[in-house]
Amino acid sequence: MSSVDKSGTYKLGNRTVHRIGYGAMQLAGKGVFGPPKDHDAAIAVLREAVAQGVNHIDTSDYYGPYVTNKLIREALSPYPDDLTIVTKIGARRGEDASWLPAFTADELEQAVHDNLRNLGLEVMDVVNLRIMFGVHGPAEGSIEAQVTKLAELQRKGLVRHIGLSNVTRAQIAEGREICDIVCVQNQYNLAHRDDDALIDELARDGIAYVPFFPLGGFSPLQSSTLSGVAERLGATPMQVALAWLLQRSPNILLIPGTSSVGHLRENLAAADLRLSADVLRELDGVAKAA
């Protein structure tokens, strides 16, 4: 049994995916802007991910922009039947590499068409609406107009399933009044655990939770506790952080990203780790110390 198989599976809409997947963000250039430093290496990572059994790839046309989707198409099209590609809309990149909202109905529709064209698809498996009200995390505000537009594109057959990203509990409830929400993608890791209760609520309703920044994001989590556990287990801190997420709740789907085949294999091997109850209690202390 491969490491990816050991991670288990969960439903993402009408698709069943392995719980450890791959996030394509790091395939773009520095700052997720421009082309990759090594084009062939980027292609190799994507092909290796699928060869290892990954069947859930997370991407967006604003990575680059328009870089990672074209790489995915070049590397993997025609796509395996079981491959689920998830994208995000709701943002765009400025010429200075800034991250800007792209929330109007026209912008959202154009973003869906751009993703379809650059990926070479007729319909997107899942489109996540990225909410850009807050700079550093979720912020309250109505998303009714944006979700309603996505639901319209779903009825037109361009989108199979809809998810939400960078959202509050109130925004999730508002979205669910309009259409089925199959996944929520928020920041969550050992130290950043604001969504603890939300994850359990979503699990009860069969909704996937997809944490990003499993090791703290652009400023990686520095924790002597995490490093000590990793050393004792003969693993990397990232592997331990990912294994903790896999054991946190069965509805958690992982999308660790990397531009290195070696790091990809290390990340996938996190599914081989089984953390004891004592280790889990020790790691829970990371959040209390943060």
Side-chain angles (χ1 to χ4, degrees), residues 246-288:
L246 284 174
Q247 289 183 228
R248 168 62 183 82
S249 182
N251 67 322
I252 286 181
L253 301 178
L254 303 185
I255 48 167
T258 179
S259 58
S260 158
V261 167
H263 286 157
L264 170 72
R265 291 171 179 159
E266 284 184 0
N267 290 343
L268 299 182
D272 296 328
L273 285 178
R274 288 294 176 269
L275 306 179
S276 69
D278 288 343
V279 166
L280 291 174
R281 280 192 292 271
E282 187 177 355
L283 291 173
D284 280 342
V286 172
K288 297 171 185 174

Side-chain angles (χ1 to χ4, degrees), residues 142-208:
S142 176
I143 61 173
E144 179 182 2
Q146 292 79 20
V147 177
T148 298
K149 180 61 182 181
L150 255 185
E152 174 192 318
L153 298 175
Q154 185 182 44
R155 289 191 296 272
K156 288 181 178 179
L158 299 176
V159 175
R160 287 197 179 95
H161 302 289
I162 295 170
L164 298 172
S165 178
N166 201 41
V167 284
T168 67
R169 180 182 278 101
Q171 288 163 341
I172 296 168
E174 184 179 35
R176 293 181 70 186
E177 288 292 320
I178 299 166
C179 63
D180 287 338
I181 299 298
V182 302
C183 58
V184 171
Q185 191 177 100
N186 278 0
Q187 182 179 359
Y188 181 81
N189 54 48
L190 273 169
H192 189 282
R193 297 183 59 174
D194 293 350
D195 279 356
D196 263 335
L198 174 62
I199 289 171
D200 297 333
E201 292 167 14
L202 295 175
R204 288 193 291 270
D205 289 340
I207 297 173

